[in-house]
Structures are given as structure tokens and as C-alpha cells.
Amino acid sequence: MSDWFAPLKAWIGRSEERRDVAAPAPVAALAATLDHESPPWRDGEVPPLGHWLYFLPLYRQSEVGADGHAKRGGFLPPVPLPRRMWAGGRLSWHEPLRLGADVRRRSTVADISHETGRSGELCFVKVVHEVFGDAGLAVREEHDIVYRGPAPQAGAEVPAKPAEPLPEAAWTRTITPDPVLLFRFSALTFNGHRIHYDRDYCRDVEGYPGLVFHGPLTAMLLVDLFLRHHPAAPLSTLSFRAQRPLFDTRPFAIRGRPRPGGATLWALTPDGLPAMTAEIATGEPRAGHRLCGHAAPPARPV
């Protein structure tokens, strides 16, 4: 095990708390970014995963690191591996977050682990976020971050793990990952990571063929695909796992299939390999809520 790993264990248990207001403007901007005129969300509430639009990382310009994120250390451990990505997460919804409400997020470093894979050293950091609104705990999220070593040299690419078979799709949508879409989402989330806008950095430093499509945006698009077919459906849990990166070089597909009590969803690379997989479970609809611009439809099996 690398010498740098053991001191990072001191970060386990560290926590921070942030406060914000669930303003409606970021949610309206998200609807535009996802190409909605009338989004399939519950009126007056922050939509599923919309809490990512708040509690933004407002580090000062002098605190920006070489990759565009905050310099390492502080709340998150100073992992020395150069490539940092969103690996996945597990979420549960408990109470609605009302637009305009004062909101609070408590974040805790829950675990740090190290392993050596086929692509070299990996360090995983699990952060638990608890988001509270005026009705108490609204969202609990386990956020997985992965740090990886330098990109392999040309001609030394690591063989990809064989893809697991996916079910037949009932829903499909093609996404064109142009740089404007990536810019708009970076702006919405105040994400300065250079892999999303600096093509030279992507190629020369991190070894990617193009701009990297945001993992959180892929997860949002998968949830959005479900909601386009089940407007205003209340989500109970969501789990998702990133398997391969997506880039702005070619269109890619997102797909889904209903199952009892929820749905299975996935994003495919342009070559047809799974980029992200997700599972959604739905809860009972809450009375008294309406779909944005429409009456909430009756519950239906999914």
C-alpha cells in the first residue's frame, strides 16, 4: 500500500455544514438545460437531484488547484492521485424540499479506501450528505469519489472489462454532448473542473480524447428519462454507478426499462458499452402536490 494513504484515514469522520436557500432560478435553468418547456416535476418543489444546484463550492480564485477544483486538503483528503471523478452514489428521499425554503446540508467523510486495479492505483472516498428542509431530513446521499493515477501512455491502454448484458430498452433518447451543454451544466453547479471545458488539458494532462461529460449530468438525464415517462412520480431511492466516461466527441444513448416499483436505466457510450447504470425505486405519491403546469396524474404501475 502506498505511503501516502495511511495519513488520509485521519479525514474519516470530518464533517462540514452549509446553508442555502432553495431558490427557483437554478431549477428553471436546469429545466432549460434539460430541454423542457414544462418539466415533469412537482410544482413548488426542488426536483429529484436538484439539491445538487445548491451548496455550491464557492472557493476563492486563489484557492483553485491545477485541475480547476479547489486545492486538495480541507474537508476532502489531499489524495495525490491526479485524476478525480464522480464514481456513483446512492440516494433516498424522505420529505419534499420546498422552493424558496431555507435548506441545510451536513456532509461527513464516511470512508476512505485504497486498491490497485488493472489501471493502477485507485483511492475511493465516500461522503455522506444529509439535506434538510423545513420539514426535516429531505435527502440522504452517499457520494462516491474515485481518484486515479495518471492516464496510460499511448499504446498501453488497459483492456476494458467485459460489459454485462443489459435488458431490452423500453425508452431511449439520444444525447448530443456539445460543449455548450457541458458549459451550461458547469455554470449551474459552479464546477471549475477543467476536464469539462479545456480540451488541451483533457488531452495533454488527463489523456482523454475530448471534453468529459459530467457524471452528475448523466445521472440527471437518466432520472429525467424516467420522469418523461412517469411525470411527477415520487422517487424513493436511486443508486447509480459510473462505468466508463462519456465525451463530447459523438452522440450517445440513454435508455430505460420499467420494473415493478421502479425502473432500470443506463447510458451507453457511442460504441454501445455501458457508461452508467442506475436503479430507481418509487414511493407512494404525496397528496396535495401538482405537476408543473399540469394536474398531477393518478398513480400508475411502473
Side-chain angles (χ1 to χ4, degrees):
M1 184 176 294
S2 297
D3 294 338
W4 52 259
F5 176 70
L8 301 184
K9 287 286 191 178
W11 264 256
I12 295 177
R14 290 197 181 195
S15 64
E16 67 172 17
E17 188 167 297
R18 296 185 181 184
R19 294 178 180 271
D20 208 334
V21 175
V27 171
L30 177 64
T33 302
L34 298 180
D35 203 24
H36 287 298
E37 181 176 355
S38 180
W41 306 329
R42 291 178 176 265
D43 193 20
E45 295 180 13
V46 175
L49 301 183
H51 66 284
W52 290 344
L53 306 180
Y54 306 106
F55 316 107
L56 301 183
L58 303 181
Y59 46 89
R60 302 193 314 274
Q61 189 66 21
S62 60
E63 298 171 332
V64 175
D67 62 358
H69 275 317
K71 293 176 183 177
R72 302 189 183 193
F75 172 63
L76 288 177
V79 179
L81 300 177
R83 296 191 292 167
R84 170 170 40 177
M85 300 191 75
W86 194 304
R90 293 152 302 283
L91 298 98
S92 57
W93 284 269
H94 302 270
E95 295 289 344
L97 277 177
R98 181 176 53 83
L99 286 177
D102 293 329
V103 289
R104 175 172 58 92
R105 187 185 73 181
R106 182 171 61 219
S107 302
T108 305
V109 178
D111 193 28
I112 304 172
S113 60
H114 175 275
E115 65 181 63
T116 300
R118 293 180 299 170
S119 60
E121 285 190 292
L122 301 169
C123 183
F124 295 93
V125 177
K126 181 170 78 172
V127 180
V128 174
H129 302 290
E130 295 172 300
V131 180
F132 300 86
D134 49 13
L137 178 65
V139 185
R140 186 182 189 278
E141 173 183 5
E142 295 183 358
H143 172 196
D144 298 329
I145 307 168
V146 62
Y147 297 79
R148 307 179 67 172
Q153 298 294 318
E157 287 79 6
V158 178
K161 182 179 179 180
E164 298 179 1
L166 293 167
E168 182 179 353
W171 319 312
T172 186
R173 186 175 173 219
T174 299
I175 304 299
T176 300
D178 64 85
V180 176
L181 175 59
L182 272 64
F183 166 79
R184 295 180 86 181
F185 190 75
S186 287
L188 265 176
T189 53
F190 205 62
N191 184 347
H193 200 176
R194 293 171 66 176
I195 60 174
H196 303 306
Y197 61 87
D198 187 336
R199 199 175 300 277
D200 291 341
Y201 176 86
C202 285
R203 181 188 62 242
D204 300 337
V205 177
E206 302 226 10
Y208 295 125
L211 301 180
V212 179
F213 200 80
H214 307 71
L217 179 53
T218 305
M220 280 188 164
L221 285 166
L222 292 176
V223 171
D224 182 66
L225 180 67
F226 174 78
L227 291 176
R228 285 171 183 258
H229 292 274
H230 298 87
L235 301 193
S236 172
T237 62
L238 167 70
S239 63
F240 65 96
R241 183 168 66 96
Q243 296 178 247
R244 293 169 178 82
L246 294 165
F247 305 101
D248 73 332
T249 52
R250 287 189 286 164
F252 62 88
I254 56 173
R255 295 178 178 172
R257 183 175 183 83
R259 59 173 176 77
T264 299
L265 303 138
W266 61 97
L268 296 175
T269 69
D271 296 321
L273 297 173
M276 181 178 287
T277 54
E279 296 285 340
I280 279 179
T282 55
E284 289 298 320
R286 299 188 295 272
H289 295 274
R290 298 178 69 82
L291 180 64
C292 293
H294 306 279
R300 68 184 84 176
V302 295

